[in-house]
Amino acid sequence: MSPEPMTGAQSLVRSLEAIGVDVVFGIPGGAILPLYDPLMDSRTVRHILVRHEQGAGHAAEGYAHATGRVGVCMATSGPGATNLVTPIADAYMDSVPMVAITGQVPSASIGTDAFQEADISGITFPITKHNYLVTDPDEIPKALAEAFHIAGTGRPGPVLVDVSKDALQARTTFEWGDKLDLPGYRPVTKPHGKQVREAARLLVEARRPVLLVGGGVIKARATAELRRLVDLTGVPVTTTLMARGALPDSHPRHLGMPGMHGTVAAVAALQQADLVVSLGARFDDRVTGKLVTFAPHATIVHADIDPAEISKNRHADVPIVGDAKEVLTELVAAIEAELAEGRHPDIAGWWRQLDGLRQTYPLGYAEPPAGEISPQHAISRIGAIAGPEALYVAGVGQHQMWASQFISYEHPNTWINSGGLGTMGFAVPAAMGAKLGMPDRTVWAIDGDGCFQMTNQELATCVINDIPIKVAVINNSSLGMVRQWQTLFYNERYSNTDLHTSVGRRIPDFVTLAEAYGCVGLRCEKPEDVDATIEKAMSINDVPVVVDFVVHRDAMVWPMVPAGVSNDDILYARGMTPTFDREE
Ligand SMILES: Cc1ncc(C[n+]2csc(CCOP(=O)(O)OP(=O)(O)O)c2C)c(N)n1
């Protein structure tokens, strides 16, 4: 292909087209205006005009979570760019492949405190996998090609490309090279064979093994290989908040989620394990509880594509650096070799103990006062009625934990949430991005009345662009998760957690708010109406639907390991600590 003359902005659009980008979320402004002009003519790149740049970033994340492809957002310089900081940090914490394109003031003005100047590459330096400031129009295609490659390979993450206005306006030639030259970036994907064989040996010899499966397994599309490993060995599996759906919840070897709001069986299994095999997980504090007391008897095998994760929080006895799909493929082969030699895991006693825990301490919840809806019931009915093919996107708080606990995830990429950063306001825009990526799937946002008030303006974007998501506002009239901590640790002193969204007043009235946006608004206040309301929402597929589920406000998320406490002291319910007896 011979070089074609054009502007830097046109070259940027051509680069997006060459990469195969189908949707970009953003808002224009002065510095990025030159780019918006040729974008209008693109036949393959669809731009979705959002109502807040934070929405653009979370939409790009939702798209990426649902499809596994790189999500793209764009914003103008200064406040447009700084509004992307939260989703960029979110994508960094949860290893979400995302490219953020920002306009920058003209290069001659950089450093002069020009109007709408913000050093966005400096600001996002610690929260991006890589970032670029492009002031030479000739560099645009190369920067874009590299950005998408870096965002989507190895451990995925956000990459920022900040382009000065003069670079967008200047003349250049467009040439799409097919070679990337990144000598400093070669993620190791193939694991070391010796380490994998050692892991296999440990797995067949251990008496109390547990797999700790993290989001990396979903990102690496390695769930079929995980299933094969589990079926071959019969070892118990826990899936972290970012890995829900990596192994079907209905699988008999699945103990559920570990950590602060994990199941007693998952938490106890890790505490008593003699071997923990961590796959694409990062020993996050919400999983380990008080770190020094985590899994005290366990030998640790830690497999991760990012060498910086190995032994970061917990020493790895067997470190494995590699892509989860390649690690699992090789681990399965090594296990098959062990089995062929007649070496089998002997874990019947371990399973008796774990089955006992599962039976004694199943996930459950207290019934609410008569006539009130329990939030857990509403959420579990959405899961049951919409089924395992739907996508579920959560905000942050109690509703998020219940959505993780009480919806049964049978497939990867069907559970989308903000784990590492815990970003309120994630659900509505992320659901919008997920629906654009997977238009044939039902997409439910399970949101809190607090979270919903942070980003519900993207409902306008959904209506105007025909993106019919469904939103369940689990309305407990308060910042519920914070209120739960106040109940438990601050003597029931409820400082600034009352939202007045249903108790006493309805500020705002979510049904009329939804209608103001052109959505269908439904309200459900009685337990006997829960199913019919969900069915009604399921029957509306031409516009977004918002359901205001007015729920009991004192429901709590159980089990719980309070922050900084040992996982051994997990509370099954208020004041109730389970005992896990070790069967030797
Ligand atoms: C942007 C942001 N601000 C503050 C917090 C702290 N926080 C965590 S959960 C929560 C309450 C969320 O309330 P709501 O959306 O109503 O959900 P609920 O817990 O009631 O289900 C708050 C304030 C946060 N996670 N994110």
PDB file of all heavy atoms in Angstrom, residues 54 86 396-400 402 421-425 447-452 454 474 476-483 499, ligand 1:
ATOM      1  N   GLN A  54     -16.774   9.786  32.008  1.00  0.00           N
ATOM      2  CA  GLN A  54     -16.650   8.586  32.843  1.00  0.00           C
ATOM      3  C   GLN A  54     -17.474   7.458  32.233  1.00  0.00           C
ATOM      4  O   GLN A  54     -17.069   6.288  32.236  1.00  0.00           O
ATOM      5  CB  GLN A  54     -17.106   8.859  34.283  1.00  0.00           C
ATOM      6  CG  GLN A  54     -16.903   7.637  35.184  1.00  0.00           C
ATOM      7  CD  GLN A  54     -17.414   7.819  36.598  1.00  0.00           C
ATOM      8  OE1 GLN A  54     -17.874   8.893  36.985  1.00  0.00           O
ATOM      9  NE2 GLN A  54     -17.344   6.771  37.396  1.00  0.00           N
ATOM     10  N   THR A  86     -10.995   7.991  36.315  1.00  0.00           N
ATOM     11  CA  THR A  86     -11.582   6.899  37.106  1.00  0.00           C
ATOM     12  C   THR A  86     -11.701   5.605  36.289  1.00  0.00           C
ATOM     13  O   THR A  86     -11.233   4.556  36.730  1.00  0.00           O
ATOM     14  CB  THR A  86     -12.936   7.329  37.705  1.00  0.00           C
ATOM     15  OG1 THR A  86     -12.681   8.423  38.591  1.00  0.00           O
ATOM     16  CG2 THR A  86     -13.596   6.208  38.477  1.00  0.00           C
ATOM     17  N   VAL A 396     -21.324  -1.040  42.711  1.00  0.00           N
ATOM     18  CA  VAL A 396     -20.448  -1.410  43.826  1.00  0.00           C
ATOM     19  C   VAL A 396     -21.176  -1.218  45.148  1.00  0.00           C
ATOM     20  O   VAL A 396     -21.755  -0.160  45.399  1.00  0.00           O
ATOM     21  CB  VAL A 396     -19.142  -0.590  43.793  1.00  0.00           C
ATOM     22  CG1 VAL A 396     -18.352  -0.736  45.080  1.00  0.00           C
ATOM     23  CG2 VAL A 396     -18.304  -1.051  42.611  1.00  0.00           C
ATOM     24  N   GLY A 397     -21.159  -2.255  45.942  1.00  0.00           N
ATOM     25  CA  GLY A 397     -21.827  -2.188  47.239  1.00  0.00           C
ATOM     26  C   GLY A 397     -22.450  -3.531  47.552  1.00  0.00           C
ATOM     27  O   GLY A 397     -22.044  -4.570  47.022  1.00  0.00           O
ATOM     28  N   GLN A 398     -23.477  -3.503  48.414  1.00  0.00           N
ATOM     29  CA  GLN A 398     -24.123  -4.753  48.816  1.00  0.00           C
ATOM     30  C   GLN A 398     -24.713  -5.488  47.609  1.00  0.00           C
ATOM     31  O   GLN A 398     -24.577  -6.703  47.472  1.00  0.00           O
ATOM     32  CB  GLN A 398     -25.246  -4.446  49.803  1.00  0.00           C
ATOM     33  CG  GLN A 398     -24.765  -3.943  51.157  1.00  0.00           C
ATOM     34  CD  GLN A 398     -25.943  -3.680  52.083  1.00  0.00           C
ATOM     35  OE1 GLN A 398     -26.908  -3.001  51.715  1.00  0.00           O
ATOM     36  NE2 GLN A 398     -25.874  -4.217  53.289  1.00  0.00           N
ATOM     37  N   HIS A 399     -25.386  -4.708  46.735  1.00  0.00           N
ATOM     38  CA  HIS A 399     -26.049  -5.347  45.588  1.00  0.00           C
ATOM     39  C   HIS A 399     -25.049  -6.093  44.708  1.00  0.00           C
ATOM     40  O   HIS A 399     -25.360  -7.111  44.114  1.00  0.00           O
ATOM     41  CB  HIS A 399     -26.804  -4.283  44.761  1.00  0.00           C
ATOM     42  CG  HIS A 399     -25.886  -3.251  44.188  1.00  0.00           C
ATOM     43  ND1 HIS A 399     -25.385  -2.193  44.933  1.00  0.00           N
ATOM     44  CD2 HIS A 399     -25.322  -3.138  42.976  1.00  0.00           C
ATOM     45  CE1 HIS A 399     -24.574  -1.478  44.180  1.00  0.00           C
ATOM     46  NE2 HIS A 399     -24.518  -2.030  42.986  1.00  0.00           N
ATOM     47  N   GLN A 400     -23.829  -5.564  44.649  1.00  0.00           N
ATOM     48  CA  GLN A 400     -22.776  -6.204  43.849  1.00  0.00           C
ATOM     49  C   GLN A 400     -22.425  -7.574  44.445  1.00  0.00           C
ATOM     50  O   GLN A 400     -22.320  -8.570  43.732  1.00  0.00           O
ATOM     51  CB  GLN A 400     -21.542  -5.286  43.854  1.00  0.00           C
ATOM     52  CG  GLN A 400     -20.279  -5.866  43.236  1.00  0.00           C
ATOM     53  CD  GLN A 400     -19.045  -5.013  43.546  1.00  0.00           C
ATOM     54  OE1 GLN A 400     -19.007  -4.304  44.560  1.00  0.00           O
ATOM     55  NE2 GLN A 400     -18.050  -5.061  42.695  1.00  0.00           N
ATOM     56  N   TRP A 402     -24.297  -9.383  46.453  1.00  0.00           N
ATOM     57  CA  TRP A 402     -25.433 -10.313  46.305  1.00  0.00           C
ATOM     58  C   TRP A 402     -25.537 -10.805  44.874  1.00  0.00           C
ATOM     59  O   TRP A 402     -25.889 -11.957  44.629  1.00  0.00           O
ATOM     60  CB  TRP A 402     -26.745  -9.619  46.739  1.00  0.00           C
ATOM     61  CG  TRP A 402     -26.809  -9.378  48.220  1.00  0.00           C
ATOM     62  CD1 TRP A 402     -26.379 -10.225  49.194  1.00  0.00           C
ATOM     63  CD2 TRP A 402     -27.327  -8.221  48.891  1.00  0.00           C
ATOM     64  NE1 TRP A 402     -26.601  -9.662  50.434  1.00  0.00           N
ATOM     65  CE2 TRP A 402     -27.184  -8.434  50.271  1.00  0.00           C
ATOM     66  CE3 TRP A 402     -27.921  -7.026  48.448  1.00  0.00           C
ATOM     67  CZ2 TRP A 402     -27.605  -7.509  51.227  1.00  0.00           C
ATOM     68  CZ3 TRP A 402     -28.343  -6.109  49.396  1.00  0.00           C
ATOM     69  CH2 TRP A 402     -28.176  -6.335  50.770  1.00  0.00           C
ATOM     70  N   LEU A 421     -10.968  -1.607  41.908  1.00  0.00           N
ATOM     71  CA  LEU A 421     -11.141  -0.208  42.310  1.00  0.00           C
ATOM     72  C   LEU A 421     -12.463  -0.018  43.060  1.00  0.00           C
ATOM     73  O   LEU A 421     -12.582   0.888  43.873  1.00  0.00           O
ATOM     74  CB  LEU A 421     -11.094   0.708  41.082  1.00  0.00           C
ATOM     75  CG  LEU A 421     -10.836   2.193  41.360  1.00  0.00           C
ATOM     76  CD1 LEU A 421      -9.460   2.424  41.962  1.00  0.00           C
ATOM     77  CD2 LEU A 421     -10.994   3.032  40.101  1.00  0.00           C
ATOM     78  N   GLY A 422     -13.441  -0.865  42.778  1.00  0.00           N
ATOM     79  CA  GLY A 422     -14.740  -0.734  43.445  1.00  0.00           C
ATOM     80  C   GLY A 422     -15.389   0.592  43.106  1.00  0.00           C
ATOM     81  O   GLY A 422     -15.679   1.415  43.979  1.00  0.00           O
ATOM     82  N   THR A 423     -15.646   0.810  41.824  1.00  0.00           N
ATOM     83  CA  THR A 423     -16.087   2.110  41.348  1.00  0.00           C
ATOM     84  C   THR A 423     -17.605   2.220  41.295  1.00  0.00           C
ATOM     85  O   THR A 423     -18.255   1.635  40.420  1.00  0.00           O
ATOM     86  CB  THR A 423     -15.519   2.350  39.927  1.00  0.00           C
ATOM     87  OG1 THR A 423     -14.110   2.152  39.965  1.00  0.00           O
ATOM     88  CG2 THR A 423     -15.833   3.751  39.450  1.00  0.00           C
ATOM     89  N   MET A 424     -18.176   2.954  42.218  1.00  0.00           N
ATOM     90  CA  MET A 424     -19.606   3.253  42.116  1.00  0.00           C
ATOM     91  C   MET A 424     -19.860   3.973  40.790  1.00  0.00           C
ATOM     92  O   MET A 424     -19.052   4.794  40.357  1.00  0.00           O
ATOM     93  CB  MET A 424     -20.049   4.166  43.264  1.00  0.00           C
ATOM     94  CG  MET A 424     -20.139   3.489  44.613  1.00  0.00           C
ATOM     95  SD  MET A 424     -20.518   4.699  45.906  1.00  0.00           S
ATOM     96  CE  MET A 424     -22.249   5.045  45.573  1.00  0.00           C
ATOM     97  N   GLY A 425     -20.981   3.660  40.155  1.00  0.00           N
ATOM     98  CA  GLY A 425     -21.297   4.300  38.879  1.00  0.00           C
ATOM     99  C   GLY A 425     -20.866   3.463  37.686  1.00  0.00           C
ATOM    100  O   GLY A 425     -21.072   3.848  36.540  1.00  0.00           O
ATOM    101  N   ASP A 447     -27.934  -2.537  40.022  1.00  0.00           N
ATOM    102  CA  ASP A 447     -27.310  -1.320  40.540  1.00  0.00           C
ATOM    103  C   ASP A 447     -27.860  -0.967  41.924  1.00  0.00           C
ATOM    104  O   ASP A 447     -28.924  -1.440  42.319  1.00  0.00           O
ATOM    105  CB  ASP A 447     -27.556  -0.168  39.551  1.00  0.00           C
ATOM    106  CG  ASP A 447     -26.365   0.774  39.474  1.00  0.00           C
ATOM    107  OD1 ASP A 447     -25.397   0.578  40.233  1.00  0.00           O
ATOM    108  OD2 ASP A 447     -26.404   1.718  38.663  1.00  0.00           O
ATOM    109  N   GLY A 448     -27.137  -0.110  42.613  1.00  0.00           N
ATOM    110  CA  GLY A 448     -27.618   0.394  43.899  1.00  0.00           C
ATOM    111  C   GLY A 448     -28.222   1.776  43.691  1.00  0.00           C
ATOM    112  O   GLY A 448     -27.928   2.451  42.698  1.00  0.00           O
ATOM    113  N   ASP A 449     -29.043   2.204  44.627  1.00  0.00           N
ATOM    114  CA  ASP A 449     -29.651   3.536  44.472  1.00  0.00           C
ATOM    115  C   ASP A 449     -28.596   4.631  44.596  1.00  0.00           C
ATOM    116  O   ASP A 449     -28.745   5.717  44.024  1.00  0.00           O
ATOM    117  CB  ASP A 449     -30.804   3.746  45.470  1.00  0.00           C
ATOM    118  CG  ASP A 449     -30.468   3.323  46.887  1.00  0.00           C
ATOM    119  OD1 ASP A 449     -29.947   2.208  47.071  1.00  0.00           O
ATOM    120  OD2 ASP A 449     -30.730   4.103  47.824  1.00  0.00           O
ATOM    121  N   GLY A 450     -27.485   4.335  45.286  1.00  0.00           N
ATOM    122  CA  GLY A 450     -26.389   5.303  45.341  1.00  0.00           C
ATOM    123  C   GLY A 450     -25.608   5.311  44.037  1.00  0.00           C
ATOM    124  O   GLY A 450     -25.418   6.361  43.406  1.00  0.00           O
ATOM    125  N   CYS A 451     -25.169   4.146  43.608  1.00  0.00           N
ATOM    126  CA  CYS A 451     -24.384   4.040  42.362  1.00  0.00           C
ATOM    127  C   CYS A 451     -25.155   4.610  41.181  1.00  0.00           C
ATOM    128  O   CYS A 451     -24.594   5.326  40.338  1.00  0.00           O
ATOM    129  CB  CYS A 451     -24.084   2.575  42.063  1.00  0.00           C
ATOM    130  SG  CYS A 451     -22.945   1.804  43.215  1.00  0.00           S
ATOM    131  N   PHE A 452     -26.435   4.266  41.104  1.00  0.00           N
ATOM    132  CA  PHE A 452     -27.251   4.668  39.948  1.00  0.00           C
ATOM    133  C   PHE A 452     -27.262   6.183  39.799  1.00  0.00           C
ATOM    134  O   PHE A 452     -27.272   6.711  38.686  1.00  0.00           O
ATOM    135  CB  PHE A 452     -28.671   4.124  40.151  1.00  0.00           C
ATOM    136  CG  PHE A 452     -29.609   4.380  39.006  1.00  0.00           C
ATOM    137  CD1 PHE A 452     -29.393   3.803  37.761  1.00  0.00           C
ATOM    138  CD2 PHE A 452     -30.734   5.178  39.180  1.00  0.00           C
ATOM    139  CE1 PHE A 452     -30.272   4.026  36.703  1.00  0.00           C
ATOM    140  CE2 PHE A 452     -31.614   5.409  38.134  1.00  0.00           C
ATOM    141  CZ  PHE A 452     -31.388   4.841  36.889  1.00  0.00           C
ATOM    142  N   MET A 454     -24.908   8.128  40.247  1.00  0.00           N
ATOM    143  CA  MET A 454     -23.626   8.662  39.753  1.00  0.00           C
ATOM    144  C   MET A 454     -23.547   8.696  38.228  1.00  0.00           C
ATOM    145  O   MET A 454     -22.859   9.546  37.673  1.00  0.00           O
ATOM    146  CB  MET A 454     -22.465   7.848  40.325  1.00  0.00           C
ATOM    147  CG  MET A 454     -22.294   8.044  41.817  1.00  0.00           C
ATOM    148  SD  MET A 454     -20.640   7.622  42.371  1.00  0.00           S
ATOM    149  CE  MET A 454     -20.785   7.965  44.132  1.00  0.00           C
ATOM    150  N   ILE A 474     -31.557  -1.672  43.072  1.00  0.00           N
ATOM    151  CA  ILE A 474     -31.858  -2.342  44.347  1.00  0.00           C
ATOM    152  C   ILE A 474     -31.887  -1.223  45.387  1.00  0.00           C
ATOM    153  O   ILE A 474     -30.855  -0.840  45.958  1.00  0.00           O
ATOM    154  CB  ILE A 474     -30.802  -3.425  44.656  1.00  0.00           C
ATOM    155  CG1 ILE A 474     -30.663  -4.404  43.468  1.00  0.00           C
ATOM    156  CG2 ILE A 474     -31.130  -4.164  45.951  1.00  0.00           C
ATOM    157  CD1 ILE A 474     -31.929  -5.146  43.083  1.00  0.00           C
ATOM    158  N   ASN A 476     -32.430   0.455  48.554  1.00  0.00           N
ATOM    159  CA  ASN A 476     -32.562   0.346  50.010  1.00  0.00           C
ATOM    160  C   ASN A 476     -32.489   1.729  50.662  1.00  0.00           C
ATOM    161  O   ASN A 476     -32.286   1.851  51.860  1.00  0.00           O
ATOM    162  CB  ASN A 476     -31.502  -0.591  50.599  1.00  0.00           C
ATOM    163  CG  ASN A 476     -30.096  -0.208  50.179  1.00  0.00           C
ATOM    164  OD1 ASN A 476     -29.883   0.887  49.634  1.00  0.00           O
ATOM    165  ND2 ASN A 476     -29.140  -1.072  50.416  1.00  0.00           N
ATOM    166  N   SER A 477     -32.617   2.751  49.831  1.00  0.00           N
ATOM    167  CA  SER A 477     -32.674   4.132  50.318  1.00  0.00           C
ATOM    168  C   SER A 477     -31.419   4.542  51.071  1.00  0.00           C
ATOM    169  O   SER A 477     -31.431   5.487  51.842  1.00  0.00           O
ATOM    170  CB  SER A 477     -33.915   4.345  51.203  1.00  0.00           C
ATOM    171  OG  SER A 477     -34.326   5.696  51.149  1.00  0.00           O
ATOM    172  N   SER A 478     -30.326   3.823  50.838  1.00  0.00           N
ATOM    173  CA  SER A 478     -29.094   4.190  51.552  1.00  0.00           C
ATOM    174  C   SER A 478     -27.870   3.676  50.826  1.00  0.00           C
ATOM    175  O   SER A 478     -27.960   2.849  49.918  1.00  0.00           O
ATOM    176  CB  SER A 478     -29.111   3.632  52.976  1.00  0.00           C
ATOM    177  OG  SER A 478     -29.405   2.270  52.970  1.00  0.00           O
ATOM    178  N   LEU A 479     -26.730   4.222  51.249  1.00  0.00           N
ATOM    179  CA  LEU A 479     -25.441   3.710  50.799  1.00  0.00           C
ATOM    180  C   LEU A 479     -25.212   2.437  51.612  1.00  0.00           C
ATOM    181  O   LEU A 479     -24.548   2.429  52.643  1.00  0.00           O
ATOM    182  CB  LEU A 479     -24.346   4.752  51.054  1.00  0.00           C
ATOM    183  CG  LEU A 479     -24.518   6.071  50.276  1.00  0.00           C
ATOM    184  CD1 LEU A 479     -23.578   7.145  50.810  1.00  0.00           C
ATOM    185  CD2 LEU A 479     -24.281   5.866  48.780  1.00  0.00           C
ATOM    186  N   GLY A 480     -25.835   1.351  51.118  1.00  0.00           N
ATOM    187  CA  GLY A 480     -26.035   0.168  51.945  1.00  0.00           C
ATOM    188  C   GLY A 480     -24.775  -0.459  52.490  1.00  0.00           C
ATOM    189  O   GLY A 480     -24.718  -0.828  53.668  1.00  0.00           O
ATOM    190  N   MET A 481     -23.753  -0.591  51.662  1.00  0.00           N
ATOM    191  CA  MET A 481     -22.553  -1.268  52.151  1.00  0.00           C
ATOM    192  C   MET A 481     -21.886  -0.464  53.261  1.00  0.00           C
ATOM    193  O   MET A 481     -21.390  -1.012  54.246  1.00  0.00           O
ATOM    194  CB  MET A 481     -21.574  -1.509  50.994  1.00  0.00           C
ATOM    195  CG  MET A 481     -20.359  -2.317  51.384  1.00  0.00           C
ATOM    196  SD  MET A 481     -20.798  -3.922  52.063  1.00  0.00           S
ATOM    197  CE  MET A 481     -20.608  -4.962  50.619  1.00  0.00           C
ATOM    198  N   VAL A 482     -21.919   0.853  53.118  1.00  0.00           N
ATOM    199  CA  VAL A 482     -21.325   1.698  54.147  1.00  0.00           C
ATOM    200  C   VAL A 482     -22.189   1.619  55.417  1.00  0.00           C
ATOM    201  O   VAL A 482     -21.679   1.512  56.542  1.00  0.00           O
ATOM    202  CB  VAL A 482     -21.186   3.150  53.651  1.00  0.00           C
ATOM    203  CG1 VAL A 482     -20.523   4.017  54.712  1.00  0.00           C
ATOM    204  CG2 VAL A 482     -20.391   3.202  52.361  1.00  0.00           C
ATOM    205  N   ARG A 483     -23.485   1.627  55.196  1.00  0.00           N
ATOM    206  CA  ARG A 483     -24.410   1.492  56.326  1.00  0.00           C
ATOM    207  C   ARG A 483     -24.175   0.161  57.065  1.00  0.00           C
ATOM    208  O   ARG A 483     -24.209   0.094  58.291  1.00  0.00           O
ATOM    209  CB  ARG A 483     -25.844   1.561  55.794  1.00  0.00           C
ATOM    210  CG  ARG A 483     -26.916   1.556  56.858  1.00  0.00           C
ATOM    211  CD  ARG A 483     -28.289   1.670  56.182  1.00  0.00           C
ATOM    212  NE  ARG A 483     -29.314   1.051  56.985  1.00  0.00           N
ATOM    213  CZ  ARG A 483     -30.050   1.687  57.883  1.00  0.00           C
ATOM    214  NH1 ARG A 483     -29.883   2.978  58.064  1.00  0.00           N
ATOM    215  NH2 ARG A 483     -30.942   1.044  58.596  1.00  0.00           N
ATOM    216  N   LEU A 499     -30.085   8.014  51.871  1.00  0.00           N
ATOM    217  CA  LEU A 499     -30.233   8.681  50.570  1.00  0.00           C
ATOM    218  C   LEU A 499     -31.642   9.211  50.311  1.00  0.00           C
ATOM    219  O   LEU A 499     -31.854   9.933  49.334  1.00  0.00           O
ATOM    220  CB  LEU A 499     -29.834   7.720  49.436  1.00  0.00           C
ATOM    221  CG  LEU A 499     -28.349   7.397  49.317  1.00  0.00           C
ATOM    222  CD1 LEU A 499     -28.121   6.351  48.231  1.00  0.00           C
ATOM    223  CD2 LEU A 499     -27.525   8.636  49.004  1.00  0.00           C
TER     224      LEU A 499
HETATM  225  C1  LIG B   1     -16.931   6.393  43.587  1.00  0.00           C
HETATM  226  C2  LIG B   1     -17.077   5.769  44.933  1.00  0.00           C
HETATM  227  N1  LIG B   1     -17.348   6.534  46.014  1.00  0.00           N
HETATM  228  C3  LIG B   1     -17.501   5.961  47.229  1.00  0.00           C
HETATM  229  C4  LIG B   1     -17.378   4.607  47.386  1.00  0.00           C
HETATM  230  C5  LIG B   1     -17.553   3.977  48.765  1.00  0.00           C
HETATM  231  N2  LIG B   1     -18.717   3.058  48.756  1.00  0.00           N
HETATM  232  C6  LIG B   1     -18.620   1.738  48.590  1.00  0.00           C
HETATM  233  S1  LIG B   1     -20.081   0.955  48.550  1.00  0.00           S
HETATM  234  C7  LIG B   1     -20.904   2.402  48.815  1.00  0.00           C
HETATM  235  C8  LIG B   1     -22.395   2.423  48.927  1.00  0.00           C
HETATM  236  C9  LIG B   1     -23.064   2.070  47.653  1.00  0.00           C
HETATM  237  O1  LIG B   1     -24.431   2.356  47.799  1.00  0.00           O
HETATM  238  P1  LIG B   1     -25.505   1.831  46.796  1.00  0.00           P
HETATM  239  O2  LIG B   1     -25.112   2.128  45.403  1.00  0.00           O
HETATM  240  O3  LIG B   1     -26.837   2.316  47.198  1.00  0.00           O
HETATM  241  O4  LIG B   1     -25.389   0.241  46.947  1.00  0.00           O
HETATM  242  P2  LIG B   1     -25.763  -0.709  48.195  1.00  0.00           P
HETATM  243  O5  LIG B   1     -24.508  -0.927  48.973  1.00  0.00           O
HETATM  244  O6  LIG B   1     -26.830  -0.028  48.979  1.00  0.00           O
HETATM  245  O7  LIG B   1     -26.232  -1.975  47.538  1.00  0.00           O
HETATM  246  C10 LIG B   1     -20.003   3.481  48.934  1.00  0.00           C
HETATM  247  C11 LIG B   1     -20.390   4.876  49.189  1.00  0.00           C
HETATM  248  C12 LIG B   1     -17.075   3.859  46.225  1.00  0.00           C
HETATM  249  N3  LIG B   1     -16.912   2.541  46.270  1.00  0.00           N
HETATM  250  N4  LIG B   1     -16.963   4.446  45.024  1.00  0.00           N
END
